[in-house]
DNA sequence: TTTCATGATTTCCC
DNA sequence: GGGAAATCATGAAA
């Protein structure tokens, strides 16, 4: 029965017209593929092969049915001949016919099974998601990378976070899981290769967060420049020039020693703190090799991330409220 | 054509 | 069931 349903769904059995294309479309949808230019070619190829399978199936089925009726007739004739020498009840004839039909239906079952197998092979060959692999678009990759590098100490998004990322990237939750699985492994295997990318996203995240916070603090407390020392931040290294540039520092914010003095709202402090460290990395400081922001300090000696039991969310990264990402705080 | 990057799958482990 | 690791298969750049 299940075989019948499958063959019907695949358009092998049932009405001839359009069955294959419907199945192809359904299979393509199941594989998550979108009908593109090459997809059209492949689908027509798929339909052609499916039609071939369908034709073979029907001709074989017809042959079996013909053979079945021929054999039944043959047996009936034999029984009729035998009835001249011994009495044969109609029940006995019925029983014999039933046996023959059972035998042939089991053969038909085998035919259906092998047809199903052929269809499955065809489907996997033409419509498998693996074969249909497409790189995610740039924006999706950026969103995923931003999340990954801003949660580097615990790059295990919760289900909700995965769903949100999936929505943002227009991909499925399982694709998000795959991406993080691949990313974690590949990052761990080749940290050096990803260092530059990590730094890039560190700065990007910090700048984004800083600008958001700046807007927020401007909206909340419009005029609080130079209001005491608690909110000031001194950038005292060469790398801080970059930080100053990123933050749009005016020359008037440089002190006598050439240091950049940022007067910032307390809410902005963690972001600037992050940026401060990030720019040290990009400036090639000695710290790069010792206390580098994205050297996975949270990787334990067995090379696995510590504390991966608490997946983080998209909206509320780990760490104290207001921090850009927990990885940056030592 | 070759090589590298990357998304997906499979297998194993906890 | 989720994650790590290995592997496969494909896309894209060289």
């Amino acid at each position: 029965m299940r075989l019948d349903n499958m063959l019907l769904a695949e358009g092998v059995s049932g009405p001839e017209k359009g069955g294959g294309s419907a199945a192809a479309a359904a299979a393509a949808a199941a594989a998550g593929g979108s009908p593109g230019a090459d997809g059209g070619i492949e689908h027509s190829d798929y339909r052609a092969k499916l039609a071939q399978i369908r034709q073979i199936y029907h001709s074989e089925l017809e042959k079996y049915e013909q053979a079945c009726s021929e054999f039944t007739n043959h047996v009936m004739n034999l029984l009729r001949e035998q009835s001249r020498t011994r009495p044969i009840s109609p029940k006995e004839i019925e029983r014999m016919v039933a046996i023959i039909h059972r035998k042939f239906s089991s053969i038909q079952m085998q035919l259906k099974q092998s047809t199903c197998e052929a269809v499955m092979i065809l489907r996997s060959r033409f419509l498998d998601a693996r074969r249909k692999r497409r790189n995610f678009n740039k924006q999706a990759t950026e969103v995923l990378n931003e999340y990954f590098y801003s949660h580097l100490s615990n790059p295990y998004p919760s289900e909700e976070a995965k769903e949100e990322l999936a929505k943002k990237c227009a991909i499925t939750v399982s694709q998000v899981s795959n991406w993080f699985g691949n990313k974690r492994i590949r990052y761990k295997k080749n940290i050096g290769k990803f260092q530059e990318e990590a730094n890039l996203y560190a700065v990007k995240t910090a700048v984004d967060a800083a600008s958001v916070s700046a807007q927020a603090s401007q909206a909340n407390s419009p005029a609080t420049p130079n209001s005491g020392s608690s909110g000031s931040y001194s950038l005292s290294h060469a790398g801080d020039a970059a930080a100053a540039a990123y933050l749009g520092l005016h020359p008037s914010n440089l002190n006598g020693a050439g240091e950049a003095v940022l007067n910032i709202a307390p809410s902005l402090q963690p972001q600037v703190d992050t940026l401060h460290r990030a720019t040290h990395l990009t400036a090639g400081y000695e710290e790069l090799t010792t206390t580098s922001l994205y050297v996975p300090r949270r990787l334990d000696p067995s090379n696995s991330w510590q504390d991966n039991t608490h997946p983080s969310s998209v909206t509320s990264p780990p760490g104290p409220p207001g921090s850009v990402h927990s990885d940056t705080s030592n």
Side-chain angles (χ1 to χ4, degrees):
Chain A
M1 194 61 192
R2 253 175 26 199
L3 288 174
D4 284 332
N5 287 339
M6 190 197 156
L7 291 173
L8 204 65
E10 291 297 333
V12 174
S13 62
E16 180 108 24
K17 219 173 155 187
S21 63
S34 57
D38 57 335
I41 295 163
E42 281 190 19
H43 285 182
S44 68
D45 204 8
Y46 173 86
R47 281 198 292 274
K49 298 264 185 207
L50 197 68
Q52 218 174 329
I53 291 172
R54 181 196 168 90
Q55 200 185 346
I56 292 166
Y57 170 76
H58 281 289
S59 78
E60 289 296 309
L61 203 62
E62 210 171 308
K63 265 192 231 167
Y64 284 137
E65 274 165 6
Q66 204 179 337
C68 179
S69 70
E70 272 176 18
F71 191 71
T72 308
N73 283 340
H74 179 69
V75 170
M76 296 273 272
N77 286 339
L78 281 178
L79 287 173
R80 242 176 253 132
E81 274 182 29
Q82 274 194 9
S83 70
R84 287 178 201 154
T85 56
R86 67 174 180 99
I88 294 172
S89 68
K91 226 176 181 180
E92 193 179 345
I93 296 171
E94 239 176 72
R95 200 163 56 84
M96 285 301 285
V97 170
I99 288 168
I100 293 164
H101 281 187
R102 263 208 302 277
K103 280 281 169 202
F104 272 90
S105 75
S106 80
I107 293 169
Q108 270 191 20
M109 192 66 82
Q110 278 175 22
L111 171 69
K112 283 176 183 174
Q113 211 161 355
S114 57
T115 306
C116 275
E117 276 171 25
V119 170
M120 293 309 282
I121 289 165
L122 186 71
R123 273 183 69 157
S124 68
R125 192 136 167 231
F126 280 85
L127 305 162
D128 253 7
R130 181 186 264 194
R131 289 179 180 273
K132 283 277 168 195
R133 187 182 76 77
R134 291 276 182 280
N135 288 347
F136 297 156
N137 64 41
K138 212 177 159 189
Q139 191 228 336
T141 311
E142 266 187 28
V143 168
L144 294 168
N145 270 318
E146 270 175 35
Y147 186 94
F148 180 82
Y149 287 114
S150 63
H151 296 77
L152 202 57
S153 64
N154 186 31
Y156 298 86
S158 63
E159 275 308 304
E160 296 82 50
K162 280 180 192 171
E163 276 171 29
E164 207 172 324
L165 285 167
K167 229 184 264 179
K168 273 187 184 175
C169 302
I171 56 177
T172 66
V173 172
S174 65
Q175 283 179 304
V176 172
S177 299
N178 284 341
W179 189 91
F180 273 89
N182 284 325
K183 190 73 179 181
R184 281 192 298 266
I185 286 280
R186 285 162 187 167
Y187 177 84
K188 215 159 79 173
K189 272 188 177 174
N190 200 345
I191 292 164
K193 200 186 91 181
F194 288 100
Q195 190 70 58
E196 200 180 334
E197 187 179 71
N199 294 340
L200 214 76
Y201 280 100
V203 173
K204 191 175 186 303
T205 306
V207 169
D208 286 350
S211 69
V212 167
S213 292
Q215 279 172 8
S217 64
Q218 261 184 3
N220 293 333
S221 52
T224 51
N226 301 319
S227 55
S229 59
S230 64
S232 72
Y233 197 97
S234 176
L235 303 172
S236 56
H237 293 293
D240 299 331
Y246 274 119
L247 291 173
L249 261 190
H250 193 270
S252 63
N253 283 327
L254 294 174
N255 67 12
E259 289 178 350
V261 178
L262 281 173
N263 295 307
I264 55 169
S267 64
L268 201 57
Q269 192 77 35
Q271 282 77 22
V272 176
D273 193 43
T274 299
L275 188 55
H276 184 231
R277 279 192 293 269
T279 50
H280 279 186
L281 282 177
T282 54
Y285 269 72
E286 198 181 305
E287 292 165 286
L288 186 66
T289 53
T290 54
T291 59
S292 173
L293 183 65
Y294 285 108
V295 167
R297 296 184 300 279
R298 305 294 179 87
L299 282 174
D300 63 21
S302 63
N303 231 14
S304 63
W305 269 280
Q306 284 178 4
D307 189 25
N308 60 6
T309 54
H310 303 292
S312 43
S313 76
V314 172
T315 46
S316 51
S323 70
V324 179
H325 39 73
S326 61
D327 317 290
T328 59
S329 52
N330 294 321

